[in-house]
Amino acid sequence: MKGGGGGKEVPVEGEVSGKQRPKRKCLQWHPLLSKKKALDFSEEEEEEDEEELEKVPVECPERSGQAPECVAMDDDGEEDSSEQRARRPMNAFLLFCKRHRSLVRQEHPRLDNRGATKILADWWAVLEPSEKQKYTDMAKEYKDAFMKANPGYKWCPATSKPVKSPTHAVSNVRKKAWSLPSNNTKDITVAKKVPKTDSTPQLNFAMADPTKMGGLSMLLLAGEHALTAREISSSSSQSGVADVAKHTGKSALFQLAEISSCPPELVQGCKNSECRSAAAPQTEVCGLSQPNSPDLPSSCMRSPLFQLAEISSSGSQASVSEVKQCGQSALFQLAEMCLASEAEKLEALSSQPAMDSSSLCAQDTAPDTSPTMDLPTPSPPSSSPISCKKKKKPNDVAKGEKSSGSPKKPCKKRSSSGSDLESLMYTIEAVAKGAWGSEEMETTRKRARPSGSPADQRSTAEKKKTKPKAKKQLRTKEEEEEKAEGEDCKPLETEGSLLSHEAELKTECKKEEDIKLDSVEESEPHLSTAEQNKGVDPGSPLPIKGEERDLEVKPVVIQTEEKDIEPKPEACGSRKSERSCKGALYKTLVSEGMLTSLRANVDRGKRGSMRGTVSESEIGWTDESCNFSQPAASNPKKLKKSKSKDEPVPGNLGKLEEEFEKKFNSLPQYSPLTFDKKSTAVTKRKKASVVNPLENPTPNKGPSPSQKKTLFHKIVSKYKHKKEKAGTLDKAVAQPDPTASDTGTVKSDSSCVSLSTETRKMGDVPVGSQKRKARKSKITHLVRTADGRLSPAEADKVKELTQDQDGKPLTHETLCNTQSCSTDPGSAESGSLPAFFSLAALAEVAAMENMHRGQRAVSMAAEGQVKDMAPQTPVLISCADQ
DNA sequence: TCGAATGAAAA
DNA sequence: TTTTCATTCGA
């Protein structure tokens, strides 16, 4: 340990830091440090955050924190003492690994890091020079920045430490590595704040804890909202809720939700009290994270919107048990209020019976629950944040996959509850209007500004004002959902409407726009798919629903929470009559639930849980795939943001990191498919199998499904043409092309072909240092014959894969069930598109399992043939599964 | 704590 | 030329 202390200089606070821990030894260097740009965000928020952080005694860094210079200082200090050393900057490969590991893990949940690393190495090897160049440049830039920050930095600290002892230290440091970010953050924050608080840095440091980081990052990423909320809750007094609303543009409701959810609130409210135990103020994040732990990872992946939702939900989750005590009340109340007001308006309209919702919940729950599991973990909070992090993750994973832990339910509900309310509101209105389509949009907008509505009268009026933004967000979701419903009739329109919604949202929400958009985008596909899968019901019921709902609306909301836990067959039964029309509520809930699950899965990035839920997988991939397929690819921003999720980066840094992340994110993230295509490596195949399904969904975002099909054909045709030229196209890198999905696919295809040749070369050619090369030879998974046959070694792997697939079936089943419920054989088309993606994936899997040729199937899929197959195959599969 | 990869820097 | 170490996180 360090002691840094001594060395450190840290003054008083240092003492605190003194406790600190060894972490400091290696501070990670963060590019931001050098830059230290302050975030755009209000500093205040940051400060508060810091303050909160501060509470935690952190490390010494404080000093470093004070000024950017400090960074250098730290570095120096580091030199002085091993303690402070900055971490060496990551090289291109590491950056690549960092960026893609999650993907690999997603694809191969079972795969451990080693395996993942191997795969990554393979990918890296396959990666074209131009592509690599990006990472190389990034690494260089990173290094340069690092060096600037730490002029005297020596790669090998002091005398090479004897491997072990130093190593240990290092290892420790590594884990703490995050601390570095924290430092950076501090620095950054410091730069901003420097003058203000010395202590702040310390806090940041605390944040540094991986655990916190995750949580914070999540929160931060989610948006300043959380921060804002904190401020508010914290009573910083600086900004009132209204102010916050202004800043964030959030709706009051939203804010409330956040607050309720937010630890800060808990903290304040309960701060000293038990709540804290659940989530300490500093730990708040942890607290959140704990419950959300699964989320954390996901958060990375998620879009801001999701994060927000999570936050709200998480808050509730975190406290789940506690929440009841502390948190939820406010949110729920608000929701109720809103509902009531709207209900009044809509009275005529109607609401669905709780029953339906419950039933839906139950369905959703299954999938969702797994991810949501957070609750169980909560206990851990007491433990240090770090512990929380790791522990939780595992838990999450475990839970995610199977679990059905009771606690989960609450989470879901909560998350859904908040949004549900809004969604319900919208839905109701929409129903009343009777038009889900474009009109809905308008409706939602109107709602957004509830002022007009009678409800305004209520105390909620204020809230409403603020709400609009939040509502908008929700709306988007709702709209999507609604659309989804409507999709039954008009699938295509949905997208269009979404787009329009987005546009609207943008106008209204300045700050959050991006985030929302992202979220929206993400959500859209999910929702649509989910809804479709579920099989939405007949549109007819809608009107009816409205009527019934009126009365029950409130109850529904409340019930929702309670019901979450319990499926409540009763409700289903009673309302079931309406069953034909699953209420919009259900959908909403489901959709939300889906989202939640997705989030968790996504976050996890790893685990097979994703596979379990199609939607989840879709989402996860979506993000990634987006890069490829989406035209959006051109817009790094969105992608980046979404990607930001990927990076678990520290919450504190949030802002700073964001910038850095942007850069980092800007780095192309290649889909497994790409690699697969490029390299036929078996491993990749596996991924591809998974990926394909996932990717398919992605496209959804962009073009409508129908369009996709068309595109597909186009692509195919293009592909053929291009193949000839392929050589040039080899790169097949994803996103770079603005052209979007089509291009991506095409590229991949072309790349595949061309790559195959090159790939082989690559494979043959030694990639890295010769040393490594030797090791590489060891790598079996890569081995593959030109034909695609597996080498013996591969065979083993294949087996493994098969097994993996075996595991997947459950997922499929679940999907199938869902679909079956929702989809009627005939309904197909609307559902088919979304469903089919997932199905396609399933089909692939099935193929894999059944076929020794699985490989081929995969390759096929990769090429895009799958798409053709997908529609049909899925059905078959579904049947089989069932 | 190891390991699996690659790369950069130091020894 | 060889070592370290950077990231990641399951065994």
Side-chain angles (χ1 to χ4, degrees), chain A residues 573-782:
Chain A
S574 63
R575 300 278 175 166
K576 212 82 177 195
S577 59
E578 292 177 355
R579 162 186 197 222
S580 60
C581 331
K582 298 174 174 184
L585 292 177
Y586 285 97
K587 290 179 180 179
T588 301
L589 294 176
V590 172
S591 64
E592 288 179 357
M594 293 298 290
L595 293 176
T596 302
S597 64
L598 290 176
R599 295 182 210 154
N601 290 343
V602 171
D603 288 7
R604 265 295 304 129
K606 308 180 170 184
R607 88 316 103 268
S609 62
M610 289 195 49
R611 293 179 182 176
T613 329
V614 173
S615 63
E616 291 177 355
S617 63
E618 288 178 356
I619 291 169
W621 285 101
T622 308
D623 295 350
E624 295 174 357
S625 63
C626 291
N627 296 342
F628 294 88
S629 64
Q630 277 186 340
S634 64
N635 41 349
K637 292 179 180 178
K638 290 181 180 179
L639 293 177
K640 289 178 180 179
K641 289 181 179 178
S642 63
K643 289 180 178 179
S644 61
K645 299 172 182 177
D646 296 0
E647 293 182 354
V649 185
N652 293 348
L653 298 184
K655 297 172 182 180
L656 296 179
E657 286 180 354
E658 286 180 359
E659 292 177 356
F660 176 77
E661 286 179 357
K662 288 180 181 178
K663 291 180 180 178
F664 178 82
N665 289 340
S666 67
L667 292 174
Q669 186 170 19
Y670 304 91
S671 69
L673 292 178
T674 302
F675 291 100
D676 289 349
K677 292 176 180 179
K678 289 181 178 179
S679 65
T680 55
V682 173
T683 305
K684 293 177 181 178
R685 293 175 186 173
K686 294 177 182 178
K687 294 177 180 179
S689 64
V690 174
V691 170
N692 292 343
L694 295 177
E695 289 179 353
N696 292 344
T698 308
N700 293 346
K701 293 178 179 179
S704 65
S706 63
Q707 291 177 347
K708 289 179 180 178
K709 289 179 180 179
T710 303
L711 292 176
F712 172 75
H713 294 291
K714 291 179 180 178
I715 292 168
V716 173
S717 63
K718 288 180 180 178
Y719 168 26
K720 291 177 181 177
H721 294 292
K722 288 182 179 180
K723 285 182 178 179
E724 294 176 356
K725 293 179 180 179
T728 58
L729 296 179
D730 297 353
K731 296 178 178 179
V733 173
Q735 309 172 339
D737 295 0
T739 53
S741 62
D742 294 358
T743 306
T745 307
V746 172
K747 287 180 179 179
S748 64
D749 292 355
S750 64
S751 65
C752 293
V753 174
S754 63
L755 288 180
S756 62
T757 304
E758 289 182 355
T759 300
R760 292 175 186 174
K761 291 179 181 177
M762 293 301 289
D764 293 352
V765 176
V767 175
S769 64
Q770 293 176 347
K771 294 179 182 178
R772 275 43 185 295
K773 244 176 144 186
R775 289 182 183 176
K776 234 178 177 182
S777 62
K778 291 179 181 178
I779 298 167
T780 56
H781 64 281
L782 294 179

Side-chain angles (χ1 to χ4, degrees), chain A residues 27-36 71 75 86-87 89-90 98 138 142 145-147 149-150 177-188 213 647 649-650 653-662 664:
Chain A
L27 297 180
Q28 274 183 335
W29 173 82
H30 202 286
L32 291 181
L33 293 177
S34 63
K35 293 178 180 179
K36 334 189 157 151
V71 173
D75 293 349
R87 291 180 185 176
M90 289 183 282
K98 185 175 182 179
M138 177 75 178
Y142 191 88
F146 176 86
M147 293 308 289
N150 308 332
W178 288 107
S179 64
L180 196 165
S182 65
N183 290 344
N184 294 340
T185 315
K186 293 176 181 178
D187 294 349
I188 296 166
M213 303 265 314
E647 293 182 354
V649 185
L653 298 184
K655 297 172 182 180
L656 296 179
E657 286 180 354
E658 286 180 359
E659 292 177 356
F660 176 77
E661 286 179 357
K662 288 180 181 178
F664 178 82

Side-chain angles (χ1 to χ4, degrees), chain A residues 118-335:
Chain A
K118 288 180 179 178
I119 291 170
L120 288 169
D122 292 346
W123 286 11
W124 181 250
V126 174
L127 210 60
E128 291 180 356
S130 62
E131 295 176 352
K132 285 182 179 178
Q133 187 63 40
K134 294 176 183 176
Y135 284 88
T136 301
D137 292 345
M138 177 75 178
K140 184 177 182 181
E141 184 179 352
Y142 191 88
K143 187 181 78 172
D144 291 346
F146 176 86
M147 293 308 289
K148 275 187 178 181
N150 308 332
Y153 179 85
K154 293 180 181 178
W155 291 86
C156 296
T159 56
S160 50
K161 329 168 166 176
V163 176
K164 293 183 176 180
S165 61
T167 305
H168 294 292
V170 171
S171 63
N172 293 342
V173 171
R174 288 179 184 177
K175 289 179 181 178
K176 297 174 180 179
W178 288 107
S179 64
L180 196 165
S182 65
N183 290 344
N184 294 340
T185 315
K186 293 176 181 178
D187 294 349
I188 296 166
T189 55
V190 170
K192 296 175 182 178
K193 297 177 180 180
V194 171
K196 292 180 179 179
T197 57
D198 295 348
S199 64
T200 50
Q202 292 177 346
L203 294 181
N204 290 343
F205 228 19
M207 293 303 290
D209 290 6
T211 309
K212 292 177 181 178
M213 303 265 314
L216 291 178
S217 65
M218 297 297 291
L219 294 177
L220 292 177
L221 292 178
E224 300 158 354
H225 302 294
L227 294 177
T228 305
R230 289 182 183 178
E231 289 179 354
I232 295 167
S233 65
S234 64
S235 70
S236 58
S237 71
Q238 291 176 343
S239 61
V241 173
D243 292 353
V244 172
K246 292 178 181 178
H247 295 293
T248 57
K250 298 177 182 177
S251 65
L253 176 58
F254 188 82
Q255 291 175 349
L256 291 176
E258 287 178 352
I259 293 167
S260 64
S261 64
C262 291
E265 189 181 9
L266 293 177
V267 172
Q268 289 180 339
C270 304
K271 229 181 190 175
N272 296 333
S273 63
E274 315 152 317
C275 292
R276 256 199 134 166
S277 62
Q282 296 169 344
T283 352
E284 291 173 353
V285 172
C286 293
L288 293 178
S289 68
Q290 289 177 344
N292 293 345
S293 59
D295 293 356
L296 294 179
S298 62
S299 65
C300 298
M301 300 297 292
R302 298 175 193 169
S303 66
L305 177 57
F306 282 98
Q307 292 176 348
L308 291 176
E310 285 183 356
I311 292 169
S312 62
S313 66
S314 68
S316 61
Q317 292 176 345
S319 49
V320 178
S321 59
E322 294 175 354
V323 168
K324 292 177 181 177
Q325 297 173 344
C326 303
Q328 76 185 93
S329 62
L331 177 60
F332 280 102
Q333 290 175 351
L334 291 175

